[in-house]
Amino acid sequence: RAARMRDAPAGQDDTLAHRLLGLIEHNYQNGITLAVAAKELGYSYQYLSRYVNRQFGLSFCEMVAQYRVERAMYLLKNTCDSITSIASECGYDSLRTFNRNFQSITRTTPRAYRCK
């Protein structure tokens, strides 16, 4: 099916936000990109990029990283899974990238966060 590219009418901002967050929630492990999200939601890449920045004050990549780190924080506190396993489960191919993103967002390391 071909998605129709459009800009959202003013009253649909909340609906789009919920759809976007749901898309991230269901695809954060798979390396979701703004291009894929725009196609899936039926909006232009440029519109969705501006929308995300305006609505959330973050880039799409930052939103996905934030979601992944919040999920990792939950897993660190509520499971005994290894940090490597949690990084992989949260969509990171590299433990180094996971540690860098985690520390950038939380200002602490995954290990230190788990021990708090």
Side-chain angles (χ1 to χ4, degrees), residues 39-110:
K39 184 174 182 180
E40 182 74 24
L41 297 171
Y43 291 90
S44 72
Y45 179 95
Q46 293 80 9
Y47 173 79
L48 195 57
S49 177
R50 285 190 313 266
Y51 173 82
V52 168
N53 281 301
R54 184 181 72 242
Q55 191 76 9
F56 300 100
L58 300 168
S59 72
F60 184 79
C61 288
E62 290 169 332
M63 275 186 70
V64 173
Q66 182 80 34
Y67 187 89
R68 287 175 169 170
V69 167
E70 287 175 8
R71 178 73 182 142
M73 291 166 68
Y74 173 82
L75 294 171
L76 286 165
K77 287 295 187 182
N78 294 288
T79 72
C80 294
D81 296 349
S82 71
I83 292 173
T84 302
S85 172
I86 289 172
S88 180
E89 184 175 332
C90 291
Y92 288 97
D93 294 330
S94 159
L95 185 58
R96 184 178 188 168
T97 302
F98 171 68
N99 284 326
R100 186 175 54 239
N101 283 355
F102 192 94
Q103 195 160 5
S104 171
I105 290 170
T106 65
R107 303 289 184 238
T108 190
T109 65

